[in-house]
Amino acid sequence: AIACASWLRDQRPPSAEEMTLDDRSLVLAAVPLVQVSSRWQLSSKLAYKLTERRALLPGAEASESRLQFVLWLLRLGYRFYGNWDVTGEYRVLYLDGPDDAQAEQGVLAEIDYNVGRYVRLGLGYNFSRFSDDELTDLDRDTHGFFVRVVGRY
């Protein structure tokens, strides 16, 4: 299992025409992993992100808002031939913003090849409309094909 906590600050420089943003985020995540058998692997992720956003339009008052994200995913992988793995993932994203709350869900499919003990290459398709990277903008659309490279030590 892996657990982490991060404090992020995204501060955009001011310009004459655009809004100035200052985001401060606290991110907590836990990723347990279970090797069910020599062929089956089960993992999950639970992440929480609290973002306080301050926006300032030129010549206007600053507006402040709080956003909360909760991300949960369940991933099941199967080693089917030598170094080849196939994986399916179910994911749920809950967003609680200043105006409303919403929940999204989706699935992801991936096929991987373990090059050796330390490198895994994957190709997959994200059927959902959100990312599983809690350090980025979680409500950004990441639908479609992807390539994954994983290094281990």
Side-chain angles (χ1 to χ4, degrees):
I2 298 170
C4 64
S6 302
W7 175 256
L8 305 173
R9 183 162 186 198
D10 183 7
Q11 187 174 17
R12 309 280 167 95
S15 70
E17 307 85 33
E18 295 181 2
M19 177 174 23
T20 303
L21 288 178
D22 184 10
D23 287 355
R24 297 169 190 229
S25 300
L26 170 65
V27 182
L28 305 170
V31 184
L33 173 69
V34 176
Q35 189 72 38
V36 179
S37 71
S38 62
R39 293 191 177 267
W40 290 96
Q41 188 177 66
L42 181 66
S43 63
S44 183
K45 177 189 261 186
L46 180 61
Y48 172 78
K49 183 176 185 180
L50 172 64
T51 300
E52 293 179 343
R53 175 171 288 168
R54 186 168 188 254
L56 178 61
L57 289 167
E61 263 187 52
S63 69
E64 295 185 9
S65 61
R66 289 172 58 110
L67 303 165
Q68 294 184 80
F69 298 89
V70 176
L71 172 69
W72 176 75
L73 59 89
L74 183 64
R75 185 175 178 91
L76 181 63
Y78 178 73
R79 173 143 308 154
F80 66 92
Y81 180 75
N83 290 337
W84 289 93
D85 296 334
V86 64
T87 303
E89 184 177 289
Y90 174 72
R91 43 177 56 190
V92 176
L93 176 67
Y94 177 75
L95 165 65
D96 185 13
D99 300 325
D100 65 344
Q102 62 187 32
E104 295 183 45
Q105 56 185 334
V107 295
L108 175 142
E110 182 176 351
I111 188 163
D112 300 313
Y113 181 75
N114 292 284
V115 176
R117 184 175 176 186
Y118 302 107
V119 178
R120 185 176 79 208
L121 303 174
L123 178 65
Y125 194 85
N126 181 359
F127 294 93
S128 66
R129 293 271 202 233
F130 55 90
S131 173
D132 65 344
D133 184 359
E134 66 274 5
L135 298 178
T136 64
D137 188 7
L138 285 169
D139 59 353
R140 184 185 68 199
D141 190 350
T142 58
H143 178 81
F145 284 102
F146 64 90
V147 174
R148 186 184 318 259
V149 178
V150 177
R152 295 177 271 208
Y153 59 92

